[in-house]
Amino acid sequence: MNKENLKRYLVLIVKYWRQLRRGVGKVWRKINPAQFLTRLDRYIMAKFIGTYIYSIILIISIAIVFDVNENLSKFATNGAPLKAIVFDYYANFVPYFSNLFSPLFVFIAVIFFTSKLAGNSEIIAMLAAGVSFKRLMKPYMLSAALIAVVNFYLISNVIPHGTVTRQDFEAKYKNSKRTTSASNVQLMVGPGIIAYIQSYDNRTKTGYGFSLDKFENKKLVSHMTASTIRYDSISETRFHWKANNYKIRKLKGLREEITTGAMIDTVIHMEPMDLVFSKGQQETLTSSELRQYISKQTERGSGNVVQYEVEYHKRFATSFASFILTIIGVSLSSRKRKGGMGLYLGIGLALSFSYILLQTVSATFAINADTPPILAAWIPNILYSIIAYFCYRQAPN
C-alpha cells in the first residue's frame, strides 16, 4: 500500500468516525433522561438522596457504637480476630441493617430536608411560581424509585451472600447457636419417592437410619435402606450422596430382588438445607433461590415454607414502602407552620416506626397463624397507602 492510498484510508476513517460520533450524540440527546429533568427536579433529587445517605451514615454509625459496646466482651471471650470483626461482621452488618430500615431512612430524609425548604419559604416560592403540588411530587417520586430499585437489587442479589458470612461469624463468636441436627425427617424427593432419615447431623453432613421408598401407582416397587448416608459437599454436581451398608429391595410382582453392599454413590434430590432449618436461613437466599426453594418445598408438601414466602414477598413490599413514606413525609412537612415542625415531625416518626412494627407483627401472624404470606407482607403497605392518600389530599389545602 502506497502513501497516497494510506492517506486516503485515514481520511475516510476520520470522516466516518466523526459522522458516527455526531450520530451517537444525536441519539443520546434524544434518550438522555437528564433532558426530562428541570433544575428544580435536580435540586430536590440531590437534596433527597444526599440527606438519605447522610441519615444512613449517621444512624448506622450510632448503631455500630452500641453494637460494639454490647458485643465487645463476647468477641474478646471467643477470640474473634479483628479482621473477622471488621470484614466478616460489620462489613455485612451495615448493608443488612441499612436495607432493613431503608423506609425509615427515606422518611427521615424527606421530613428533614422538606421541612427545611418549607422553613426557608422555598416551597411557597415554588407554588407561587405556578408549580402545582402534584408537579412538586415528581422529583420526590423519582428519587424514591431510584432508592427502591437499588434496595431491591441489593436485598435480592447482594445482601444474602453477606448475610451467610455474618451469621457464620455470629454462630462462631457471639454464641448465637445454630441448629445443627434434625430427627425423624421425612420428605418427598421426587414423584412417588419418599426419603426418611432417623437423625441427621449437619456438622458432618451425615444422616443415620436412612430409607428411600419408591411408589408406582400407589404400590411399593423399591425399598432402599442404609445405616448412614453422607452428603458429598465437594462433588461438582448437586444432590450427590454416599450410602454406607446399603440394602436395596426391588419388588416385581411376587418376585423380590435384593442387592447389598458396603458403599454406593447415589443421586437423591435433597440437600442439607432441606433437612435442617436455622433461624434466619431465609435471609441467606437470593430472590431467585427463594423462589426455587419455595416451589420445591411446596411440591413436597412441606409445612415450613411460610417464613420463606413471607421473606420473598416482603422484599417487594419493603421496596414499595419508599413511595408510601415519601408521600406521607412530603405531605406532612411541605407547609410552613408557626411553632416549627416538632409536632408533625413527631407524627411522621410515629407513623414510620409503627409501619416497621406492623411489618414484624404481620410476618409473625403469617408464620404462626393462617394468614396468607403475600397478604401479611402487603398489609402494612395497604394500610399506609390509605394514610398516604389522605395526607396527599389534605396537603394542597
Side-chain angles (χ1 to χ4, degrees):
M1 182 182 294
N2 55 37
K3 293 183 178 179
E4 292 296 329
N5 289 336
L6 178 61
K7 183 177 180 180
R8 188 182 303 113
Y9 284 128
L10 291 175
V11 170
L12 289 174
I13 290 173
V14 172
K15 178 182 177 181
Y16 287 129
W17 168 252
R18 289 176 178 174
Q19 291 177 351
L20 177 63
R21 189 172 61 180
R22 284 195 297 267
V24 171
K26 290 179 180 179
V27 173
W28 173 247
R29 282 193 294 271
K30 290 181 179 179
I31 65 174
N32 185 7
Q35 65 177 321
F36 303 105
L37 300 177
T38 64
R39 182 177 296 181
L40 174 63
D41 295 330
R42 293 192 293 269
Y43 176 71
I44 292 179
M45 290 180 68
K47 289 282 188 179
F48 190 159
I49 297 175
T51 309
Y52 171 77
I53 296 174
Y54 177 78
S55 64
I56 288 178
I57 295 174
L58 179 63
I59 297 177
I60 291 299
S61 299
I62 297 173
I64 290 176
V65 170
F66 279 99
D67 190 81
V68 169
N69 182 61
E70 180 181 355
N71 296 307
L72 187 59
S73 60
K74 294 180 180 179
F75 295 158
T77 302
N78 295 316
L82 180 61
K83 182 179 179 181
I85 295 174
V86 174
F87 294 102
D88 293 345
Y89 183 64
Y90 284 110
N92 297 302
F93 174 94
V94 171
Y96 174 79
F97 283 97
S98 297
N99 191 277
L100 180 64
F101 295 108
S102 180
L104 175 62
F105 297 141
V106 167
F107 186 81
I108 291 174
V110 171
I111 283 284
F112 273 99
F113 92 85
T114 306
S115 61
K116 186 177 180 180
L117 293 180
N120 295 334
S121 300
E122 294 181 65
I123 300 291
I124 295 175
M126 296 174 193
L127 298 177
V131 178
S132 66
F133 189 77
K134 182 179 179 180
R135 172 63 181 83
L136 185 63
M137 292 295 297
K138 175 186 173 181
Y140 285 95
M141 291 295 100
L142 290 175
S143 301
L146 178 61
I147 292 172
V149 169
V150 172
N151 283 338
F152 181 75
Y153 175 77
L154 291 176
I155 193 61
S156 297
N157 300 285
V158 179
I159 293 178
H161 299 297
T163 302
V164 175
T165 304
R166 181 175 58 83
Q167 289 185 356
D168 290 340
F169 177 91
E170 290 176 345
K172 187 175 182 180
Y173 298 112
K174 285 185 63 178
N175 294 326
S176 179
K177 300 300 182 183
R178 304 177 68 175
T179 303
T180 58
S181 62
S183 59
N184 296 323
V185 179
Q186 183 174 359
L187 68 159
M188 184 170 65
V189 296
I193 304 177
I194 308 298
Y196 173 79
I197 298 179
Q198 186 176 8
S199 61
Y200 176 77
D201 187 353
N202 195 47
R203 291 171 295 185
T204 59
K205 311 295 182 186
T206 303
Y208 303 89
F210 174 76
S211 67
L212 185 70
D213 296 327
K214 183 177 180 181
F215 296 85
E216 292 181 359
N217 298 323
K218 298 182 179 180
K219 292 183 179 180
L220 182 65
V221 297
S222 175
H223 176 70
M224 173 185 176
T225 59
S227 59
T228 62
I229 186 169
R230 188 172 183 272
Y231 185 71
D232 190 353
S233 57
I234 62 174
S235 174
E236 295 181 357
T237 59
R238 298 171 61 191
F239 313 120
H240 191 194
W241 295 82
K242 293 183 178 181
N244 299 311
N245 299 324
Y246 69 93
K247 182 177 183 181
I248 303 175
R249 298 173 56 195
K250 293 184 178 180
L251 306 175
K252 301 179 180 179
L254 298 177
R255 299 178 59 188
E256 182 179 38
E257 179 181 331
I258 300 178
T259 304
T260 60
M263 194 272 289
I264 185 174
D265 290 342
T266 182
V267 174
I268 304 173
H269 286 268
M270 65 179 183
E271 296 178 282
M273 66 176 300
D274 299 329
L275 307 175
V276 177
F277 305 98
S278 302
K279 182 180 179 181
Q281 182 172 302
Q282 67 274 14
E283 297 175 350
T284 64
L285 302 177
T286 64
S287 292
S288 59
E289 292 172 341
L290 266 177
R291 187 169 57 251
Q292 294 172 3
Y293 183 83
I294 291 169
S295 176
K296 181 175 67 174
Q297 294 298 98
T298 302
E299 291 176 357
R300 292 174 172 176
S302 177
N304 68 328
V305 75
V306 177
Q307 59 265 39
Y308 294 88
E309 292 179 316
V310 171
E311 175 66 22
Y312 179 75
H313 294 297
K314 189 172 73 172
R315 293 178 180 182
F316 291 91
T318 302
S319 299
F320 187 78
S322 298
F323 298 97
I324 299 174
L325 294 179
T326 296
I327 294 173
I328 296 175
V330 176
S331 301
L332 289 177
S333 59
S334 59
R335 180 180 298 179
K336 186 175 182 179
R337 295 176 172 88
K338 293 182 179 180
M341 288 296 301
L343 175 61
Y344 292 92
L345 179 61
I347 294 174
L349 290 176
L351 288 173
S352 185
F353 279 112
S354 61
Y355 173 86
I356 296 174
L357 177 62
L358 185 58
Q359 266 191 329
T360 305
V361 171
S362 61
T364 304
F365 270 111
I367 295 173
N368 298 321
D370 295 329
T371 307
I374 186 170
L375 179 61
W378 282 90
I379 279 178
N381 283 354
I382 294 172
L383 294 179
Y384 280 78
S385 294
I386 298 173
I387 298 174
Y389 177 77
F390 175 78
C391 293
Y392 176 75
R393 297 292 295 178
Q394 293 297 317
N397 300 325

